[in-house]
Each structure stands twice: as structure tokens, then as C-alpha cells.
């Protein structure tokens, strides 16, 4: 069921929500949180679809805040709030309110959102694009226990990680970090199977992908060893190679779906490491509302502390790296051209 409201108020929107629930025969409110999505018109559809899919696991009231740019100076002085209320099948397993803000009310979005929050329920704010530099001190971010950004959508993702580290507050997280959860689980499980000391690590992935940097920083922070960040054609993360005093551990994913895990002295294993959709990432983030101390520690390690990396693409897989004796060979270090190396170093700052 959809209810369109033009030039409305938060009070009228709340009444429309009650009216919609009664009309479909579900007056009880069984939602566990409020998800506020702050986005633009271009990305609103995809973001809302992901939130609706995630609501099957986390029934929630979803508030989509769209700040509409005024076309003329006169329009910028006229404040208006339009809303679209969705309940029932149209809103997944919860409720959805799409808020379109015009004029001066854009600068007071928190005043519109506050009366629509579920009482005594956690609040999560998600910026799919154009997240503020300091999400915790943003007027909407200040309402939330959990703030979700996505460095991958930034114009300069690597510089964005540095900015996130400088403005980090407990409760902040990033979908670039959520994307590497399966990688972190697999690498931790691989290290649990051996009693060897890791000496160095290399992380391969496409250029300007913040998930690759975050995985490298997490490994460097937890293992306290040099970690190199190497460039590959992608997609996304393509491989991790850990040199240990018992032989290398290689986790290679060349196709973005199926990976191969090699541990010295053990047969190779196929591992499912598919690239996940946004709905799966949001659903994972909504499972925990406490501060993610592991993310904070990895983020604050700093991109500039990663070891120098080659600029040429790394395309070697775990199978291609195997020596005739059966164990992966350490790749020969490559010297990057001076111009490319300088460009990569500047991008990492």
C-alpha cells in the first residue's frame, strides 16, 4: 500500500503510517530498529531495494532522506516536505517512508526524521554515497547508534580511508570493511591450522579499492609484520600470500567467485568467496550495533604505513606460483617505473 503526501509534516506522516497498518490489517508494530538512508535521487532506488531485502532478517522502519536541489533562488527559500508512505508488500517486512526535502528544510533534516523514529529502538544511519566527512557529528548521524558509510563510492577511496580514520567515533563502520569479512574469516582459519610464524604478507587487488587496503591494514595490525599492497586487474580482491617459516599460505581468487586455498603440506582446497550484494552487506551490519573495535584498530593503522608495492598488475595465481617441488614460489620483486611509483605513492596519501 502506498500513500502519497505533498507539502506535509512529520505528524501527518505518522498518521499515514497508522492508517496504512490498519488498512492492511497489521496494527501491531513488530520492527526492531529504524534505518535512515541518506542518499540522492539517482541512488535511492538501489539503496531502498537493498534495505527491503535486508528487512527480511531485520524488520525495520526505513526512512529514505532525499535532499532535492532547488532550480532557482526563489525555490531555495521555499521549504517543502513531500513523503511517500509504503506499508505491506511494498515495504518488505517493515515500513518505508521516502522523504523529499526542498528549500531551507534541507538544512534541518534531523527535525523531520526525529519524530518518525521508532520509540525505544536502535537507529542506524546509512550513507550509500556522499557521506559527510565526520559522520558522528553530522546532525543525522548524531541520532544513531550505528553509522554506515561506503568508501568505495568516494572520488578518492584511499584518501577517504585516511579521513575516516581521523574522524572515527565508536559506532562508525564502512561497507568496504564489511566486504572483507569472508576473507578475514578464511585467513584466520588458515592460520589456526598451523603453528608457524608469519614473516610477511602481500595483498593483491584492483587499484583504488579500499577493501584491499583495509584487509592489508588489518593483517599488518594483527600480525605485526610488513604487508605489501600489490595491484591486480581485479575484480576486487584477488589474492593474499602470507610467507611463514613453514612455507607460504596462499588464498587466490581470480574470478571473483571461487577461491583456492593453499597451505604448505596440505592439498589445495576450493573456497566459495563470491562478491556479495549490498543487501547482504547491510544485513550483516545490522546484526551488531556495538562498536567494532577491530575495524577501528585496522583503520587507524594507516594506509601510509603499508610497505612499498609494485605498480605493475599482479596476475599470478596460486597454481601458477607453484614450484616443481609442489610449494608456491615467492614472486620476484618488480621495479616499477619512477613515474608510476610516484603516482601510486601520491594516491596512497
Amino acid at each position: 500500500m502506498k500513500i502519497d503526501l505533498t507539502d506535509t509534516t512529520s505528524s501527518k506522516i505518522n498518521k499515514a503510517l497508522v492508517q496504512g497498518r490498519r488498512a492492511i490489517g497489521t496494527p501491531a508494530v513488530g520492527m526492531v530498529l529504524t534505518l535512515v538512508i541518506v542518499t540522492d535521487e539517482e541512488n535511492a532506488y538501489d539503496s531502498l531495494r537493498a534495505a527491503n531485502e535486508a528487512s527480511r532478517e531485520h524488520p525495520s522502519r526505513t526512512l529514505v532522506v532525499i535532499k532535492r536541489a532547488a532550480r532557482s533562488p526563489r525555490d531555495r527559500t521555499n521549504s517543502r516536505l513531500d513523503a511517500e508512505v509504503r506499508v505491506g508488500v511494498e515495504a518488505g517486512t517493515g515500513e518505508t517512508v521516502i522523504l523529499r526535502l526542498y528549500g531551507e528544510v534541507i538544512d534541518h533534516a534531523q527535525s523531520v526524521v526525529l519524530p518518525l523514529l521508532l520509540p525505544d529502538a536502535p537507529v542506524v544511519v546509512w550513507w550509500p554515497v556522499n557521506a559527510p566527512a565526520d559522520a558522528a557529528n553530522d546532525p543525522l548521524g548524531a541520532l544513531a547508534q550505528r553509522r554506515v558509510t561506503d568508501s568505495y563510492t568516494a572520488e578518492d577511496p584511499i584518501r577517504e580511508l585516511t579521513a575516516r580514520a581521523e574522524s572515527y567515533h565508536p559506532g562508525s563502520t564502512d561497507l568496504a570493511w564489511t566486504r572483507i569479512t569472508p576473507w578475514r574469516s578464511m585467513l584466520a582459519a588458515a592460520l589456526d591450522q598451523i603453528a608457524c610464524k608469519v614473516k610477511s604478507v602481500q595483498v593483491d587487488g584492483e587499484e583504488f579499492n579500499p577493501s584491499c587496503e583495509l584487509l592489508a591494514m588489518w593483517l599488518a595490525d594483527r600480525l605485526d609484520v610488513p604487508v605489501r599492497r600489490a595491484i591486480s586487474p581485479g575484480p576486487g580482491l584477488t589474492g593474499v600470500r602470507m610467507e611463514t617459516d613453514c612455507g607460504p599460505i596462499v588464498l587466490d581468487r581470480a574470478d571473483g567467485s571461487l577461491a583456492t586455498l593453499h597451505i604448505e603440506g596440505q592439498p589445495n582446497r576450493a573456497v566459495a568467496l563470491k562478491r556479495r550484494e549490498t543487501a547482504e552487506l547491510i544485513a550483516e551490519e545490522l546484526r551488531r550495533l556495538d562498536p567494532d573495535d577491530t575495524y577501528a584498530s585496522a583503520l587507524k593503522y594507516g594506509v601510509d604505513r603499508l610497505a612499498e608495492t609494485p605498480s605493475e598488475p599482479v596476475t599470478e595465481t596460486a597454481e601458477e606460483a607453484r614450484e616443481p617441488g609442489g610449494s608456491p614460489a615467492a614472486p620476484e620483486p618488480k621495479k616499477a617505473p619512477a613515474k608510476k611509483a610516484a603516482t601510486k605513492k601520491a594516491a596512497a596519501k
Side-chain angles (χ1 to χ4, degrees), residues 309-312 334-344:
T309 61
S311 298
E312 298 179 12
K334 300 177 182 180
K335 292 185 178 180
K339 185 175 180 180
K340 289 185 177 181
T343 303
K344 180 62 183 174

Side-chain angles (χ1 to χ4, degrees), residues 19 27 32 57 76 96 111 114 119 163 168 171 178-179 219 228 239 252 255 276 285 300:
Q19 174 189 343
V32 298
E57 182 178 341
R76 285 192 285 272
T96 298
S111 299
L114 187 59
Y168 175 81
T178 317
R179 291 184 180 96
L219 288 166
R228 301 175 66 197
D252 178 79
D255 62 355
R276 297 184 294 169
E285 284 301 332
K300 293 178 180 180

